[in-house]
Amino acid sequence: MQNPIKVVVADDHPVILFGAEQALLKFPGIQVVARARQSTELVKILQTVACDVLVTDLAMPGGQYGDGLPLIGYLRRNFPDLPIVVLTMLENAALLKRLSELGVISVVNKADDLSHIGLAVQHVGRNLEYMSPSVKSALETLRMNAGGKNDEVILSKRELEVVRLFVSGMTIKEISEQLNRSIKTISTQKNTAMRKLGLERDSELFHYAQSNGLMNLSSYAPGEIREPGESGAAADES
């Protein structure tokens, strides 16, 4: 008899955590060995509990190791042989591209049927890529829109600065006063950043900022804020 795939599930929402575990239990060859609610608990579990696959929420604030892309990066560096299935509500191009660059080969949208979590675990357990239907559709749209061109998203330093201040809770007027720029300029820079990222609503911008580690960049010196994954200097200021 084949050994079951041992899975650790992490999500800060109890309902999602329970739902994901129940969905996995419907697969005879999968065994949930531990659950985590934030990154501190998750890393401790991974250091002490043997598992074959990690299923983790992307936006899971409150832990010592952060969440979003910074957490995924940490996990990839410290547990390089552990396959990861990422759960998220986001489908924007920049996020999916960065997850792929970090070595994540499976992303499941929480809006899709939870059975896709089990299918994803089965696939990554054999080192095979798996994307749930919504994510697959977003990737197809991304490929069509790219048209063979470079789809790297680079925000200018000023655009990132405006995004950081906006998601910190400041209004456009307050940002304009702090940065000594006109309200029109600040609004344009925010809208340009959202268009580059493929985002339409402010709520999506907040999710993107949280998932990409842009919520707590106050320690960065001016000019050092750059798009996660950007290897060189930020693009020229707009």
Side-chain angles (χ1 to χ4, degrees), residues 7 14 34 48 50 62 65 76-77 100 105 111-112 121 141 149 156 166 171 182 192 221 227 232-233 238:
V7 179
T48 57
Y65 302 94
R76 292 296 299 156
R77 291 191 302 274
S100 176
I105 61 173
D112 289 325
V121 167
T141 301
K149 299 178 180 179
S156 73
F166 183 76
T171 64
S182 71
T192 299
E227 171 73 0
S238 58

Side-chain angles (χ1 to χ4, degrees), residues 106-125:
S106 180
V107 180
V108 173
N109 191 310
K110 293 181 181 180
D112 289 325
D113 192 286
L114 291 181
S115 63
H116 289 284
I117 300 175
L119 295 173
V121 167
Q122 290 180 330
H123 277 72
V124 300

Side-chain angles (χ1 to χ4, degrees), residues 37-175:
R37 293 282 302 278
Q38 34 88 335
S39 63
T40 305
E41 187 178 8
L42 173 59
V43 171
K44 183 176 180 180
I45 288 171
L46 295 179
Q47 291 171 338
T48 57
V49 178
C51 74
D52 303 308
V53 176
L54 167 64
V55 174
T56 182
D57 185 14
L58 190 62
M60 192 171 55
Q64 177 184 347
Y65 302 94
D67 70 335
L69 292 176
L71 173 60
I72 298 300
Y74 176 87
L75 295 173
R76 292 296 299 156
R77 291 191 302 274
N78 290 272
F79 306 94
D81 298 325
L82 178 65
I84 299 175
V85 175
V86 168
L87 301 179
T88 182
M89 291 294 291
L90 300 174
E91 300 170 355
N92 72 75
L95 175 64
L96 295 176
K97 181 174 183 293
R98 187 66 184 117
L99 285 171
S100 176
E101 290 171 349
L102 288 171
V104 173
I105 61 173
S106 180
V107 180
V108 173
N109 191 310
K110 293 181 181 180
D112 289 325
D113 192 286
L114 291 181
S115 63
H116 289 284
I117 300 175
L119 295 173
V121 167
Q122 290 180 330
H123 277 72
V124 300
R126 301 194 299 271
N127 199 33
L128 298 174
E129 177 184 291
Y130 187 88
M131 303 292 170
S132 69
S134 293
V135 177
K136 190 178 296 184
S137 177
L139 287 171
E140 288 298 326
T141 301
L142 170 60
R143 293 188 185 104
M144 287 188 293
N145 290 342
K149 299 178 180 179
N150 186 346
D151 62 343
E152 182 177 6
V153 176
I154 299 179
L155 302 185
S156 73
K157 288 182 289 186
R158 290 194 176 190
E159 288 165 357
L160 277 165
E161 187 176 34
V162 169
V163 168
R164 177 178 64 82
L165 293 175
F166 183 76
V167 299
S168 75
M170 294 180 68
T171 64
I172 296 296
K173 184 175 183 293
E174 290 169 339
I175 297 172

Side-chain angles (χ1 to χ4, degrees), residues 158 161-163 165-166 170-190:
R158 290 194 176 190
E161 187 176 34
V162 169
V163 168
L165 293 175
F166 183 76
M170 294 180 68
T171 64
I172 296 296
K173 184 175 183 293
E174 290 169 339
I175 297 172
S176 72
E177 292 172 351
Q178 176 164 323
L179 300 181
N180 195 27
R181 301 176 206 154
S182 71
I183 291 177
K184 181 179 179 182
T185 296
I186 296 300
S187 180
T188 297
Q189 289 168 341
K190 170 180 170 286

Side-chain angles (χ1 to χ4, degrees), residues 59 88-92 95 163 166-167 190-191 194 197-212 215:
T88 182
M89 291 294 291
L90 300 174
E91 300 170 355
N92 72 75
L95 175 64
V163 168
F166 183 76
V167 299
K190 170 180 170 286
N191 291 336
M194 291 180 68
L197 297 170
L199 306 176
E200 297 180 356
R201 295 181 291 275
D202 287 348
S203 59
E204 294 176 337
L205 184 60
F206 280 97
H207 282 301
Y208 176 85
Q210 184 180 64
S211 299
N212 285 268
M215 298 294 271

